[in-house]
Amino acid sequence: NAGVMQNPRHLVRRRGQEARLRCSPMKGHSHVYWYRQLPEEGLKFMVYLQKENIIDESGMPKERFSAEFPKEGPSILRIQQVVRGDSAAYFCASSLQVTGELFFGEGSRLTVL
Amino acid sequence: KQEVTQIPAALSVPEGENLVLNCSFTDSAIYNLQWFRQDPGKGLTSLLLIQSSQREQTSGRLNASLDKSSGRSTLYIAASQPGDSATYLCALIMEGGKLIFGQGTELSVKP
């Protein structure tokens, strides 16, 4: 049973470009979460999704950031018009049940030049 | 607002020592608590999950305890090894499955 798969592992973008990060949850998991780890800071919750639904996006910046988890395919975190402050590691996690054990992917490390 | 504090921030021990990592939180209204390790440049590896109704969980050389009333959890590592060197993160699982993380304890085990 493959774990949580994230790609790309590393992504470099210039200011103003778009970044798309993908996450495939563990098989059978329907709860997907995105977290961000800024340099020298802890992990912070961004968004919680179930298939085709955003359940909680209270940690997402109001502008430029969006997330989806379509019926088919991976969850996608999209950052439009990236700025240097978006440089961070973005982690995806999935769980079988709400409030159950969470499993994390290896993360996608975004560098904005 | 829930706050999670991990003490110490960093710890260096010789191989073979038993050690305790501490995690405290301000609001006891949690669902579960999960301990992770994170190696440099890597993702998070789940170590132990303690449900709110439980007092402790054990896996190999690891033992985690939870005291909701006092807002504390500890992770005990027995007979530490250099391979245990990593950052250890405590996370509270809140309503809706959202995790609130501590800042972590950076552990170094010297051979």
Side-chain angles (χ1 to χ4, degrees):
Chain A
N1 186 10
V4 177
M5 305 300 291
Q6 288 189 249
N7 69 84
R9 291 290 309 278
H10 300 275
L11 183 63
V12 178
R13 285 287 179 266
R14 296 193 180 278
R15 280 179 296 170
Q17 292 184 320
E18 178 179 289
R20 281 190 182 224
L21 311 177
R22 288 174 290 277
C23 168
S24 295
M26 286 182 70
K27 187 176 181 179
H29 286 194
S30 60
H31 304 275
V32 168
Y33 304 81
W34 286 92
Y35 288 81
R36 178 165 67 173
Q37 189 172 39
L38 291 164
E40 307 304 322
E41 291 190 22
L43 281 140
K44 295 288 193 290
F45 167 80
M46 297 183 75
V47 62
Y48 162 37
L49 310 104
Q50 294 182 24
K51 282 287 187 183
E52 299 185 277
N53 288 304
I54 297 174
I55 308 301
D56 181 352
E57 58 181 347
S58 58
M60 285 266 275
K62 293 288 185 284
E63 298 178 350
R64 302 188 297 107
F65 285 72
S66 62
E68 62 177 8
F69 188 16
K71 186 177 180 180
E72 301 290 338
S75 175
I76 295 175
L77 180 67
R78 181 183 179 203
I79 311 172
Q80 295 178 290
Q81 298 171 11
V82 296
V83 301
R84 288 215 174 107
D86 296 333
S87 295
Y90 292 83
F91 290 95
C92 174
S94 72
S95 65
L96 189 59
Q97 301 169 327
V98 175
T99 72
E101 187 174 9
L102 271 86
F103 297 88
F104 279 76
E106 290 290 301
S108 292
R109 283 156 181 82
L110 172 66
T111 301
V112 180
L113 301 177
Chain B
K1 179 187 173 188
Q2 179 72 268
E3 292 185 0
V4 184
T5 304
Q6 289 189 246
I7 294 172
L11 181 63
S12 182
V13 300
E15 183 177 3
E17 268 202 14
N18 302 325
L19 56 100
V20 176
L21 307 181
N22 296 291
C23 171
S24 61
F25 47 96
T26 53
D27 185 348
S28 63
I30 66 171
Y31 278 77
N32 301 313
L33 186 145
Q34 195 167 354
W35 281 92
F36 296 89
R37 70 174 277 170
Q38 185 176 26
D39 294 278
K42 299 288 187 180
L44 279 69
T45 300
S46 177
L47 298 174
L48 288 164
L49 171 74
I50 309 177
Q51 296 182 354
S52 60
S53 58
Q54 296 176 317
R55 299 282 292 185
E56 65 177 315
Q57 278 284 5
T58 298
S59 175
R61 294 182 294 109
L62 304 179
N63 176 277
S65 68
L66 173 62
D67 184 344
K68 278 183 63 176
S69 61
S70 66
R72 292 182 183 182
S73 177
T74 61
L75 179 66
Y76 175 81
I77 303 177
S80 58
Q81 303 171 358
D84 294 331
S85 297
T87 296
Y88 288 80
L89 295 162
C90 162
L92 308 181
I93 303 177
M94 310 299 291
E95 184 176 358
K98 182 190 305 186
L99 291 180
I100 300 179
F101 284 90
Q103 291 292 97
T105 293
E106 188 174 348
L107 173 66
S108 176
V109 181
K110 306 293 186 185

